[in-house]
Amino acid sequence: MGRVTGFIDIPRKKMPARPVEVRIHDWREVYLPYPDMALKDQAARCMDCGIPFCHQGCPLGNLIPDWNDLVYRDRWKAAIERLHATNNFPEFTGRLCPAPCEGSCVLGINSDAVSIKAVEVSIIDRAFDEGWVAPHPPSVRTGKRIAVVGSGPAGLAAAAQLNQAGHWVTVFERADRIGGLLRYGIPEFKLEKRLLDRRLDLMSEEGIIFKTRANVGADVPVAELQDEFHAIVLAGGATRPRDLPVPGRELKGIHFAMEYLTLQNRRCEGEKAPPSTFITAKDKHVVIIGGGDTGADCLGTAHRQGATSVSQLELLPEPPRERAANNPWPLWPNIFRVSGAHEEGGERLYSVATDRFEGNDKGHVTSLHAHHVTMVNTNGRMAFEAVAGTETTIRADLVLLAMGFLGPETGGLLQELDVRMTERGNVWRDKNWMTSVPGVFTAGDMQRGQSLIVWAIAEGRSAARGVDLYLMGESDLPAPLE
């Protein structure tokens, strides 16, 4: 594998990035291409470990040691073939996935893991630059028609796989543009939408039909899809945001993260929303409630909009800098992380619970009252207990709720189909990814709950195999999650 002593001789290096003082003034991607020789060195750190636990860490089962070695040996075309064998959209995962594969890297037991994510995105970017990524429509069509509801990563992956199997696929999206959270939930500085459009153009050339402003269960009757298509894949995501029911929640200036991010993404697409409807952090004291990736996306967006200050609150305690004893390899390392947005500024506050919001006589939020908490074990369950004397007030002209999602919207489509739901409020499915309604399948956050892009793609691929088996009795499509 690569250089036999590479993991000993070569230290891990971060991906190069544009300077903070430059990038916060535009919406272009934060990270820069890795120089070829530096990237070959990083690929050379991949060990001949015998059992590549990175496969276990990746829901897609990406053949990581293979393409690390191919990059080291300058065999880039072979590398993209190996990468595309398991991943339909490496240009997305290479930018957006938190890389659970790196958490499972054998080198990570006592050193810094291999820079898998950097190698992945470099392979696909090189492949596009060289013209190796081209449309490949199927040579034979089965005559079967499939509707995919939702155009996020799960829906797109299912559509791509089913199209390659020779079926006619139509993707329905209720928004005005295709992409789901890739389009409107992920900021431009993490995923420039030209990259999304580039992939969608390829998929269209391969024969996939995209229909926007098509809200199935509202303006598109479910019965119409059941009559027209041989199978349906539900991939609408988990779009119900978690709210914060505390006094003052009704004040103006308190918004869900997706509402905020969507409006800015629309502006980046060239739309000019009326000032009265646009949510901006310019010259405001911003408080973000939620310390995850969505909160970090809000943070980076607020920086670029010109916020006066940004505070990010997290209910959980601050993670350790290194793995704790109860978090051993190869589990995902729950450690303190610094994203590109955090490098740009802002204050991160941990173990903080919000008590209430206060506003001015115009009904607009002006402050947030909170207290510190500690985690306690209550009859085997972890709970949060207030720490006496820690009450604090934070100035807030704009509050963004980024506390995750509760599951799919249950009205309309799901209600009309009358599919079975799980105890957690997600769509139930069997081992072949079919719901309780024959011929209706599901994948991604809609059946799993809020999760990672890599899980969404893996589940879309697996559901596609389930559909293919249902329609044809057999399938040559791979199933990463069998």
Side-chain angles (χ1 to χ4, degrees), residues 390-451:
T390 62
E391 295 78 10
T392 184
T393 300
I394 302 172
R395 184 172 175 181
D397 306 312
L398 174 64
V399 177
L400 302 171
L401 306 181
M403 303 179 297
F405 299 86
L406 298 174
E409 297 170 27
T410 53
L413 169 64
L414 299 184
Q415 186 176 19
E416 197 170 332
L417 277 170
D418 194 26
V419 294
R420 177 180 166 188
M421 306 295 287
T422 68
E423 292 181 356
R424 298 185 64 184
N426 302 316
V427 177
W428 177 91
R429 54 108 177 155
D430 65 15
K431 64 179 182 179
N432 292 319
W433 300 82
M434 189 157 65
T435 69
S436 57
V437 179
V440 178
F441 296 76
T442 187
D445 290 2
M446 181 167 266
Q447 69 83 33
R448 182 181 185 84
Q450 178 188 353
S451 191

Side-chain angles (χ1 to χ4, degrees), residues 53-248:
F53 276 79
C54 54
H55 288 191
Q56 169 265 331
C58 177
L60 283 164
N62 279 337
L63 306 169
I64 295 161
D66 289 16
W67 37 261
N68 275 332
D69 185 56
L70 290 166
V71 167
Y72 173 71
R73 301 183 189 284
D74 240 354
R75 296 178 58 194
W76 290 85
K77 195 168 186 179
I80 187 55
E81 290 171 357
R82 296 301 276 168
L83 180 51
H84 264 152
T86 57
N87 187 350
N88 300 80
F89 314 121
E91 67 271 34
F92 304 156
T93 55
R95 290 174 166 84
L96 305 177
C97 181
C101 53
E102 294 187 13
S104 296
C105 175
V106 172
L107 184 55
I109 294 174
N110 61 354
S111 185
D112 293 326
V114 175
S115 301
I116 298 169
K117 185 174 170 180
V119 177
E120 176 182 17
V121 75
S122 299
I123 293 171
I124 184 61
D125 285 351
R126 174 75 169 265
F128 270 111
D129 290 343
E130 297 287 348
W132 297 331
V133 185
H136 295 288
S139 56
V140 178
R141 289 290 181 179
T142 65
K144 301 293 185 181
R145 298 184 302 277
I146 301 159
V148 176
V149 182
S151 67
L156 292 178
Q161 292 296 98
L162 289 165
N163 184 66
Q164 286 303 307
H167 307 306
W168 291 107
V169 182
T170 302
V171 178
F172 292 83
E173 169 58 55
R174 66 182 179 182
D176 59 335
R177 294 182 177 91
I178 295 294
L181 283 182
L182 293 172
R183 173 72 65 184
Y184 288 133
I186 303 297
E188 190 84 1
F189 58 82
K190 285 179 66 175
L191 177 68
E192 293 185 19
K193 300 309 177 281
R194 63 180 178 84
L195 304 178
L196 173 58
D197 291 333
R198 179 178 65 182
R199 178 63 72 172
L200 293 175
D201 288 344
L202 283 170
M203 295 174 71
S204 294
E205 291 181 56
E206 291 175 338
I208 296 172
I209 298 170
F210 294 106
K211 292 190 175 182
T212 57
R213 294 186 173 91
N215 191 352
V216 180
D219 51 89
V220 179
V222 172
E224 184 178 304
L225 263 60
Q226 291 177 308
D227 289 341
E228 183 178 347
F229 295 92
H230 296 95
I232 300 172
V233 179
L234 306 180
T239 53
R240 284 191 296 125
R242 188 185 303 278
D243 207 342
L244 185 61
V246 298

